[in-house]
Amino acid sequence: MDSHERDEGGEQDVGGERHVEDGRHVEGEREAPGGQRVVWAVVGTGIGPLMLAATEDGLVNVVFHATDAVRDRALARLASRLGTEPVHEPGSPLLAEAIRQLEAYFAGERRGFELPLDWSLISGFNRQVLRELAAGVPYGTVVGYGDLAGRVGQPGAAQAVGVAMGSNPLPVVVPCHRVVESDGGIGGFGGGLETKRRLLALEGVLPEPLF
């Protein structure tokens, strides 16, 4: 599965919108309109800088390791996919709650997210798998790639689940770090294995790194 988990963003077909509410979801099956307003900011966290981007519909992208080069690639991809140039606006009300909840999560004060999500960057099987992941794999637990495939009615699709995890446009909020190999291996991760270990340690699944 390691070779399939890739990228910082997610480059799938246009889909709809949903909300995460304590791990549960409310679907709004509509296409994201082209040319809508997109705002972004970079926030510091215990796993390095994260770039957050949001539209009027909700948080649309979370990008790991948001150095200038990574950020610029992510912004170009968003502009292409969403039909508008993202605007740097760290004080935007569209971002304020996501920033607050992520800061609380990394401080160990929050276990779930209650945020509107704009699901425009992904659709189809990948979205189905990610929906099941966020709904059914809570903080402090893990699931195998094959087990997650079985939960969406595709028990032989462990490899495709790995692809879906690598395509996740909303990591941390939609917790692809909680998907591991059935033999006990940590599995792959688009943000890098050290980032995955740190997130699992934060949630108490793994011991804290020594250094």
Side-chain angles (χ1 to χ4, degrees):
M1 249 66 69
D2 297 31
S3 63
H4 295 291
E5 297 211 25
R6 67 197 190 284
D7 207 326
E8 315 90 8
E11 303 180 72
Q12 303 302 310
D13 297 333
V14 171
E17 178 207 34
R18 66 175 179 172
H19 293 68
V20 176
E21 298 180 348
D22 292 327
R24 307 307 302 177
H25 305 274
V26 179
E27 289 293 337
E29 297 293 339
R30 64 178 184 272
E31 299 297 317
Q36 66 176 314
R37 178 169 172 76
V38 184
V39 296
W40 66 275
V42 174
V43 296
T45 75
I47 56 169
L50 294 180
M51 190 191 92
L52 310 181
T55 69
E56 290 89 345
D57 290 333
L59 190 67
V60 72
N61 206 190
V62 177
V63 180
F64 289 118
H65 312 307
T67 61
D68 289 349
V70 169
R71 181 200 67 200
D72 289 348
R73 288 197 301 271
L75 291 172
R77 181 167 60 241
L78 282 170
S80 174
R81 296 300 309 280
L82 300 179
T84 190
E85 289 291 334
V87 177
H88 183 226
E89 197 172 317
S92 171
L94 299 178
L95 291 167
E97 186 61 17
I99 292 171
R100 187 187 73 79
Q101 291 191 23
L102 279 163
E103 287 176 344
Y105 169 81
F106 283 106
E109 299 167 355
R110 171 172 283 273
R111 294 190 168 205
F113 295 96
E114 299 174 4
L115 294 171
L117 299 184
D118 182 338
W119 221 207
S120 298
L121 297 177
I122 197 166
S123 65
F125 175 79
N126 291 354
R127 188 174 68 175
Q128 180 186 11
V129 170
L130 291 169
R131 179 191 304 132
E132 175 58 32
L133 169 65
V137 185
Y139 184 101
T141 67
V142 294
V143 66
Y145 292 91
D147 291 339
L148 187 54
R151 291 190 189 190
V152 296
Q154 300 288 337
Q159 186 172 7
V161 167
V163 174
M165 297 305 102
S167 301
N168 182 10
L170 292 160
V172 182
V173 176
V174 177
C176 51
H177 58 277
R178 297 177 191 156
V179 185
V180 299
E181 294 177 350
S182 57
D183 62 3
I186 193 171
F189 195 59
L193 292 184
E194 181 58 26
T195 299
K196 187 170 188 173
R197 290 188 186 99
R198 287 185 177 277
L199 289 168
L200 291 173
L202 173 67
E203 297 187 5
V205 176
L206 293 178
E208 290 287 349
L210 295 177
F211 50 81

